[in-house]
Amino acid sequence: MDKKKIKWLYGELPLLVDRQIISEESAERLRQYYGDVEEGSGRRMAFIVFAILGAALIGAGIILILAHNWDALSRTLRTFLALAPLISAQSLAGWVIWRRSESAAWREGTATFLVFAVGASIALISQTYHISGGGDSFLLTWMLLSVPLVYLMRANVPALLYTAGITAWSAGCGSGHAFYYWPLAALIVPHFVILGRENLFSNRLIVLSWVFTLSFCVAVGTTAKESLPFSWPLVYLVYCGVFAVLYLGGSLLYTKGQGWWRQPFVSVGAAGITVITFLLTNQRIWANIGWFGYRMNEPGAGNLLLTLGLPLVVVTSCLLAACVRRKQAGRVLLGVAPLVVFGGYIFFTYLASGAEKTGIPVNTIVPAVLFNVYFFILGVNTTVSGIRSGRLGTVNAGMFLLAALVLARFFDSGIGFVIRGVVFIIVGVGFLTTNLVLLRRGRERAV
């Protein structure tokens, strides 16, 4: 439960005991179950943030000072100045481990300073002694040397910088690096486990989960780009399956009542599934998928669809079953998207494969219409769910999905302007009416 809610509950307990709604023993059991609520967490968080920013600014300032008139210095003096920040940062880190190991601000600030000191020292020494190597080798070396700080200092910022660094290295430093992202990312997984055992809803874990989830999505794309050079339409299926795993897995991990910000896996997964299914409502996308179907006669191309699709379908089915068992059937409509996409791929690609032999063109409008219907049902379900729960944000999200579908279809078809205008007016009136009704309900409940 959120700390604010626990604090509110503790404030209500004396009143409940006085009115004999619950006994004193029950109130004490509730306090023991939820534990103490730490005071001043906002001030500590601000102190940690300012410590991290201060350390980063100090590191950047040192680099700028060293860069001034660098060429005029002797090689010996350059070496000393290049190693001085690293030695100072390491000495400070040792002192923090010895004397200030319980202070998160000291750990985070010192670890951040040391990460930048490592990078600056490597760059300056390489420049001084003309050590060969490109930007990719520098970035990889820097990130690998920063990993131990995550565990030695129990710091989160080095983990964030490391995740961003290996993502940039695997995606932007040339081909052939994409597959190495996965073993590199595995080095940070124990840190996830440690933070999760301490507090599943801590701000440190939530921020790291957001960064790691977005990094994971980028890595999936870069890996698919290198492994599927001739079958890029399969990326839709791969991404839909990955987003479904994030969405359903996060639904099982997090409890109800948490906001979207505190559920990064669910939020990213839901947004990703929505975008993929919206793209598949376009007839042109299925024409490209049909092109993939014509290539099914190439060696191994036909098996590639099953090799990639079946594991995703199996994992998604298991997660769907787990959600149903935990009475989270509301997640099924969005989580079933990979099964729908996989079925559409199987049907349409093999249909397109046979079209080359028979000479009969494949009508791409059929799968497009099916996904338009699926997306429409998704929007209606989201809107109805928001109305039933009284959540204005959910209602607006569902209405936005419906409006996006209507807007997309009316702009890629030959329907007249009058009909388009009437439909847009109807959708707009639906937005306003729904919001007014829910706002009035909220005021009546407040009264």
Side-chain angles (χ1 to χ4, degrees):
M1 186 183 292
D2 191 7
K3 290 183 178 180
K4 293 182 180 179
K5 296 179 180 179
I6 297 176
K7 190 174 181 180
W8 173 86
L9 176 62
Y10 286 177
E12 294 291 320
L13 287 179
L15 180 62
L16 296 176
V17 173
D18 291 340
R19 295 183 178 180
Q20 298 182 354
I21 298 176
I22 62 173
S23 63
E24 184 65 37
E25 291 78 9
S26 299
E28 185 62 29
R29 290 176 184 174
L30 288 173
R31 294 189 185 96
Q32 293 177 359
Y33 178 78
Y34 288 107
D36 297 331
V37 180
E38 299 180 358
E39 300 290 342
S41 58
R43 291 192 296 271
R44 281 197 300 274
M45 181 58 63
F47 184 49
I48 294 173
V49 171
F50 284 122
I52 294 171
L53 291 176
L57 291 173
I58 291 173
I62 292 174
I63 294 174
L64 292 175
I65 292 173
L66 295 178
H68 182 65
N69 293 328
W70 181 258
D71 294 335
L73 303 176
S74 64
R75 179 172 292 185
T76 302
L77 184 56
R78 289 185 194 178
T79 303
F80 173 76
L81 293 177
L83 295 177
L86 179 60
I87 296 174
S88 301
Q90 286 180 328
S91 302
L92 181 61
W95 179 80
V96 169
I97 294 175
W98 181 41
R99 302 289 295 181
R100 292 287 188 273
S101 61
E102 299 302 322
S103 174
W106 274 102
R107 296 198 313 269
E108 296 286 353
T110 304
T112 303
F113 177 46
L114 184 52
V115 169
F116 286 108
V118 169
S121 298
I122 295 174
L124 294 175
I125 291 295
S126 299
Q127 190 272 340
T128 300
Y129 292 96
H130 304 288
I131 300 175
S132 61
D136 54 345
S137 60
F138 161 73
L139 184 59
L140 180 60
T141 304
W142 183 14
M143 292 299 102
L144 289 176
L145 291 176
S146 302
V147 172
L149 296 177
V150 177
Y151 301 99
L152 290 175
M153 304 293 293
R154 291 179 292 149
N156 209 41
V157 175
L160 298 175
L161 296 174
Y162 173 79
T163 303
I166 62 174
T167 305
W169 175 82
S170 62
C173 294
S175 60
H177 293 164
F179 289 99
Y180 294 105
Y181 168 87
W182 305 105
L184 290 173
L187 297 177
I188 213 70
V189 171
H191 182 61
F192 263 102
V193 177
I194 294 173
L195 293 180
R197 287 179 176 177
E198 292 178 356
N199 186 358
L200 187 60
F201 299 102
S202 65
N203 291 327
R204 299 174 65 198
L205 181 58
I206 290 171
V207 173
L208 182 60
S209 298
W210 273 104
V211 173
F212 192 82
T213 302
L214 297 176
S215 169
F216 176 79
C217 294
V218 173
V220 169
T222 55
T223 305
K225 181 180 177 181
E226 291 192 5
S227 60
L228 307 173
F230 71 92
S231 56
W232 58 266
L234 269 178
V235 174
Y236 292 106
L237 173 60
V238 173
Y239 261 120
C240 192
V242 169
F243 286 136
V245 171
L246 289 174
Y247 174 72
L248 296 173
S251 301
L252 297 173
L253 180 64
Y254 302 112
T255 57
K256 294 183 178 180
Q258 299 293 332
W260 67 270
W261 167 253
R262 293 190 171 275
Q263 302 183 71
F265 302 141
V266 175
S267 300
V268 173
I273 293 173
T274 303
V275 171
I276 293 296
T277 52
F278 178 75
L279 291 175
L280 291 175
T281 61
N282 194 326
Q283 188 176 353
R284 297 177 182 176
I285 299 296
W286 286 101
N288 294 326
I289 296 174
W291 169 86
F292 170 68
Y294 288 116
R295 303 291 297 273
M296 294 290 286
N297 294 326
E298 294 188 6
N303 295 329
L304 187 60
L305 178 61
L306 297 176
T307 303
L308 288 175
L310 281 180
L312 292 174
V313 168
V314 170
V315 174
T316 303
S317 302
C318 294
L319 292 175
L320 284 171
C323 287
V324 173
R325 285 198 301 269
R326 294 194 179 186
K327 298 180 180 180
Q328 296 184 6
R331 310 281 190 177
V332 172
L333 182 61
L334 193 61
V336 80
L339 279 66
V340 179
V341 176
F342 181 72
Y345 264 84
I346 290 292
F347 173 77
F348 194 68
T349 51
Y350 277 98
L351 195 63
S353 175
E356 186 177 14
K357 301 177 182 178
T358 61
I360 302 175
V362 180
N363 192 352
T364 57
I365 197 173
V366 176
V369 168
L370 292 176
F371 271 88
N372 274 274
V373 173
Y374 175 75
F375 195 84
F376 178 79
I377 295 174
L378 188 62
V380 171
N381 179 75
T382 304
T383 305
V384 173
S385 176
I387 293 174
R388 289 178 177 176
S389 60
R391 295 181 179 178
L392 191 59
T394 305
V395 173
N396 286 329
M399 296 292 291
F400 176 78
L401 295 181
L402 295 175
L405 181 62
V406 172
L407 189 66
R409 295 294 72 81
F410 274 85
F411 273 111
D412 64 7
S413 64
I415 301 175
F417 288 103
V418 176
I419 299 179
R420 296 185 192 183
V422 172
V423 173
F424 289 159
I425 291 173
I426 294 174
V427 174
V429 171
F431 261 110
L432 295 176
T433 304
T434 305
N435 280 269
L436 288 174
V437 170
L438 289 179
L439 286 175
R440 288 181 179 178
R441 287 183 181 179
R443 291 174 184 175
E444 292 175 357
R445 291 177 181 176
V447 174

